[in-house]
Amino acid sequence: MTARLRVDWPACQGRGLCFEVLPELISLDEWGYPVVEGEVPRELLGLAREAARTCPTLALRVVDAP
Amino acid sequence: MNPVLRVRPSGGPGGPLLDVRSGPFLLRDLVADPSLGRHRHRAGPLARPSLHGLVEDLAGADVRGRGGAGFPFATKLRTAAEAGRRREVVVNVSEGEPASFKDAALALTRPHLVLDGAALCARALGTRRVHVVLPGDRPGVAAALRRAVAERVQDGERLRWRLHTTDPGFVAGQGRAVIELLSGRPNLPVTAWAPEARAGYRGRPTLLSNAETFAHVALLLGAGSASYRTSGTADEPGSRLLTIGGESGRPVVVEATHGTPWRDLLDEPVLDRPVLVGGYHGTWAAPGALRDLTLSRTGMAAAGLTLGAGVVLPLAAGDCPVHRTAAVTAYLAGQSAGRCGPCRNGLPALTDGVRALDEGVDVSARVGELTRTVTGRGACAHPDGTARMVRSMLALFGEELDAHAAGDCTYRHADALPGPRSRR
């Protein structure tokens, strides 16, 4: 199992806080919505969870993926 | 020439007509009598399949979902069975794609074949709950299925049929949007954290598929199943429905076995024109590309084409694929539910880009970048499908884009030549 980042797109309002917490894996598109790298390396797992907690609309999740 | 039955999906007098051509299985011996009595006389009594037997049969015949994604139906059924008890069956008859009429054709000519398939799956799954999702913008189709369900209830079938009607619009028929509708929430796509077969309606295992898929299940288990199983090709037995867009504006629904050459399905002049295969979320086929291909998922995939929900839209004479792509993209942008940021912002930007290409501004790099930006970034596949269609235009019609950039259009130019087929 690897951890991945997934966005709940209807919930995401493009506030960009996830990008500020985790620029290693998240960038913003031209409208301010996150572009996420799928796989989260072990050393960034803590920051990824923090980015998910920081989202004001709870639109970012760290999920297990095969 | 096969006999044609003419039906009216909108119901009532005066609405647009649809031609349904007789075919080998689903559309065999079309008659204007969709009643249960007539159906039972032809199809025989309903089987009582075991779950294991049905999964084996479906896997053996490689039955796949006919809503567009083409997911193996046996896998879906097995997943729903293994995911827990209190299972639900959902028959999706709401063709969101406005160019698709195959499920409308089934509903209006053979509704009980579709409902038999759902009943068989419900029996195998040990549930009595079957939902039927009706298209809100096709009242004739909805009425035909209401009548058919009422007949079955009258006949004493011990299933609890629940009917639901979608809102109009392209994305209302999408799987998750349908689950939302069943749950009493707005009929719009939401993020799926697990497949419907594992956690769908009320979090229960939900076997949700397209009307045509269930009709194939009924064929596989009904009278004459032996000839169905040996038809088509070794890899892809059976048949599929296609909606072929007509130049006259009246689409025709046909059934063809897998392996049928496209030469037998499309008229000669159409084969030499660009054809949008798979509908508005599909891919462009270059002029002449279908000439040597057959109706087969794998063969089409090798040529970079997907059949999707089986919509085939040949361009009319003198119509330009770049111009047409711009119009379809604009339509699709208008059909976004507007809830996912990348789709809400990306599809209008894509529309502007393709329109600029049509007008001769060379922004193909920007358009290509936008197709990548929107892909995979929505609750449903609406942005992905739109991007795929635009990307196939960029890939195939580079020379035409060059002509547009030079202020020309070879398609309209060709059409302007004097001749009996000239339209403008």
Side-chain angles (χ1 to χ4, degrees), chain B residues 51 115 133 147 178 194-195 200 302 315 388:
Chain B
L51 178 67
L115 299 177
V133 180
R147 268 196 303 277
V178 161
L315 278 187
R388 177 168 51 232

Side-chain angles (χ1 to χ4, degrees), chain A residues 6 8 29-31 33-34, chain B residues 191-193 344-345 366 377:
Chain A
R6 274 198 67 191
D8 182 354
D29 68 17
E30 58 193 276
W31 309 289
Y33 288 85
Chain B
T191 301
W193 299 102
R344 185 174 61 239
N345 294 292
R366 159 81 175 154
R377 296 177 70 223

Side-chain angles (χ1 to χ4, degrees), chain A residues 5 16-28 34-37 39-41 44 46-52 54 60:
Chain A
L5 282 169
L17 271 71
C18 55
F19 164 67
E20 301 200 2
V21 174
L22 191 61
E24 295 90 339
L25 294 180
I26 297 174
S27 55
L28 297 180
V35 179
V36 300
E37 291 295 328
E39 245 171 65
V40 182
L44 290 176
L47 276 175
R49 294 218 171 91
E50 194 190 326
T54 307
L60 188 68

